[in-house]
């Protein structure tokens, strides 16, 4: 996703009016109800928070707004410890649109922004910059220099600047508080089925189909090799997945048996994502696709021969077909 320059506006195909920072606003927002956060993954807890802003905007005849940060604050404040992200900026915008958001502010995160006091951040960005009428944040929201601001600080400053504040309590599932960190942990461990309960949808990645070594074709299972650009991926293993073409209007999603790993049977190599689409024949090279992870079948294994690997792939495909008769793509 690109904006042409620091003051440009672009209407995305998902219909969220998007500005790169509060200073790039080209018009005055109408009674904005603003949800603030990093929103990596846009999980069920985020959906609750953003939904509050959307509901408030609709009730007051205003606009629902998401104020989020790019890059992720951890990539600026602690780059060595910054996590791989669950969602790209473009995917987040798409998910915001699904939740009914009217406007997104992609606030450039920098050391200068982080150095603002809580009072200065509220005054310059939220009040004067966006003209907030209402603000929604999570229970653990912090802001300003040294993270000195919290929801109570925000509510106090809101009283001074004329906007109200709604604080969303933790959202839990199966006794665990929903969080981006928990979702990343589950995906990284390969437990994509459990991650679905956090995200409210299958974990997915977008990428481009590129040419590989051609081993899948030699084994009787030609695969689409997908270059995702380095975002978070599930643990090495074999997965039941679906594939959606993003640069066209396919009649339906493709059901796939997908390998994430290094091909150890063939002496290993670079990490690759290889998806065998069941009941499909055609050329996908160069196509933009979305791959959704439904369930993990097994870990990555080394086989004694290509023939043994081919037989295991046959069994994997049978399992994928059985899983996908009940676990349908969204």
């Amino acid at each position: 996703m690109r904006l042409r320059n620091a003051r440009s506006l672009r209407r995305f195909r998902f219909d969220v009016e998007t500005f790169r920072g509060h200073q790039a606003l080209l018009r005055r927002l109408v009674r904005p109800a603003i949800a603030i956060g990093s929103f990596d993954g846009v999980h069920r807890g985020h959906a609750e928070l953003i939904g509050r802003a959307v509901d408030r905007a609709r009730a007051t005849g205003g606009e629902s707004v998401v104020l989020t940060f790019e890059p992720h604050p951890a990539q600026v404040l602690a780059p060595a410890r910054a996590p791989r992200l669950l969602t790209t900026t473009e995917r987040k915008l798409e998910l915001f649109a699904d939740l009914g958001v009217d406007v997104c502010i992609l606030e450039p995160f920098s050391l200068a922004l982080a150095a603002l006091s809580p009072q200065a951040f509220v005054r310059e960005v939220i009040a004067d910059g966006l003209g907030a009428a209402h603000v929604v944040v999570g229970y653990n929201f912090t802001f300003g220099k040294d993270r000195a601001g919290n929801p109570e600080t925000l509510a106090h400053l809101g009283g001074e600047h004329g906007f109200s504040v709604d604080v969303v309590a933790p959202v839990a599932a199966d006794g665990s508080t929903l969080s981006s960190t928990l979702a990343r942990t589950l995906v990284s461990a390969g437990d994509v089925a459990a991650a679905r309960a956090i995200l409210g949808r299958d974990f997915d990645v977008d990428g481009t189909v590129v040419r590989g070594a051609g081993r899948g074709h030699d084994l009787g299972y030609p695969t689409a090799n997908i270059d995702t650009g380095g975002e978070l991926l599930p643990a090495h293993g074999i997965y039941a997945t679906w594939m959606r073409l993003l640069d066209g209007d396919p009649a339906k999603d493709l059901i796939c048996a997908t390998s994430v790993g290094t091909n150890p049977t063939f002496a290993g190599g670079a990490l690759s994502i290889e998806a065998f689409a069941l009941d499909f024949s055609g050329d996908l090279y160069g196509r933009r696709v979305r791959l959704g992870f439904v369930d993990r079948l097994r870990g990555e294994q080394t086989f004694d021969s290509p023939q043994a690997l081919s037989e295991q792939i046959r069994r994997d495909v049978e399992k994928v077909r059985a899983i996908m008769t009940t676990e349908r793509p969204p």
Side-chain angles (χ1 to χ4, degrees), residues 49-73:
L49 194 157
I50 293 168
R52 297 272 189 96
V54 171
D55 290 345
R56 179 61 176 249
R58 289 175 178 171
T60 60
E63 293 181 287
S64 55
V65 179
V66 165
L67 171 62
T68 191
F69 305 97
E70 188 182 60
H72 189 286

Side-chain angles (χ1 to χ4, degrees), residues 3-330:
L3 297 180
R4 293 194 184 103
N5 56 61
R7 295 191 58 80
S8 65
L9 159 69
R10 176 176 169 188
R11 178 73 70 170
F12 287 83
R13 62 185 174 85
F14 356 98
D15 207 32
V16 176
E17 193 175 5
T18 305
F19 299 89
R20 174 128 4 234
H22 70 281
Q23 294 179 331
L25 276 171
L26 301 179
R27 62 178 180 81
R28 185 175 182 84
L29 298 174
V30 180
R31 293 183 294 281
I34 304 171
I36 305 177
S38 293
F39 300 125
D40 182 36
V42 195
H43 57 63
R44 289 170 53 203
H46 295 151
E48 172 68 22
L49 194 157
I50 293 168
R52 297 272 189 96
V54 171
D55 290 345
R56 179 61 176 249
R58 289 175 178 171
T60 60
E63 293 181 287
S64 55
V65 179
V66 165
L67 171 62
T68 191
F69 305 97
E70 188 182 60
H72 189 286
Q75 294 174 335
V76 174
L77 299 176
R81 299 192 302 274
R84 287 186 176 271
L85 301 182
L86 290 156
T87 41
T88 63
T89 297
E90 185 172 16
R91 183 66 171 125
K92 283 203 296 186
L93 289 168
E94 186 175 359
L95 294 167
F96 292 158
D98 290 343
L99 293 171
V101 172
D102 298 313
V103 178
C104 179
I105 309 298
L106 295 173
E107 192 68 26
F109 194 87
S110 63
L111 293 175
L113 184 71
L116 292 177
S117 68
Q119 294 79 7
F121 177 79
V122 167
R123 181 180 66 253
E124 295 179 19
V125 179
I126 299 176
D128 294 346
L130 301 179
H134 184 70
V135 173
V136 186
V137 296
Y139 68 100
N140 57 352
F141 176 68
T142 58
F143 64 102
K145 185 178 181 180
D146 298 325
R147 299 180 178 177
N150 56 33
E152 291 72 26
T153 311
L154 184 64
H156 174 75
L157 293 170
E160 294 181 358
H161 290 279
F163 62 82
S164 54
V165 174
D166 185 7
V167 181
V168 177
V171 178
D174 298 327
S176 297
T177 299
L178 305 186
S179 69
S180 300
T181 299
L182 178 57
R184 288 189 205 104
T185 299
L186 292 170
V187 170
S188 296
D191 195 350
V192 293
R196 184 189 307 118
I198 308 297
L199 298 172
R201 65 184 187 282
D202 293 324
F203 170 74
D204 58 56
V205 297
D206 293 353
T208 302
V209 178
V210 298
R211 294 192 179 275
R215 296 192 184 102
H217 185 274
D218 295 340
L219 293 168
Y221 297 93
T223 58
N225 289 258
I226 303 170
D227 180 5
T228 65
E231 67 234 43
L232 180 70
L233 293 174
H236 293 191
I238 308 303
Y239 294 85
T241 65
W242 49 264
M243 182 190 295
R244 182 169 304 155
L245 304 183
L246 298 180
D247 54 3
D249 295 312
K252 62 179 181 179
D253 295 319
L254 304 175
I255 293 174
C256 300
T258 296
S259 167
V260 178
T262 59
N263 294 304
T265 298
F266 298 97
L271 176 65
S272 64
I273 306 169
E274 301 179 32
F276 169 67
L278 282 62
D279 308 318
F280 172 81
S281 62
D283 186 356
L284 294 174
Y285 289 125
R287 302 293 296 273
R288 288 287 297 170
V289 300
R290 174 165 297 153
L291 196 66
F293 290 81
V294 176
D295 206 352
R296 188 178 193 229
L297 279 62
R298 61 178 176 85
E300 188 174 49
Q301 297 173 245
T302 303
F303 294 88
D304 294 334
S305 67
Q307 292 75 20
L309 172 57
S310 180
E311 177 58 25
Q312 180 59 57
I313 295 174
R314 184 190 64 79
R315 293 192 290 267
D316 293 337
V317 168
E318 290 177 355
K319 289 182 181 179
V320 167
R321 195 181 297 279
I323 289 170
M324 298 299 281
T325 59
T326 55
E327 300 287 349
R328 303 307 302 163

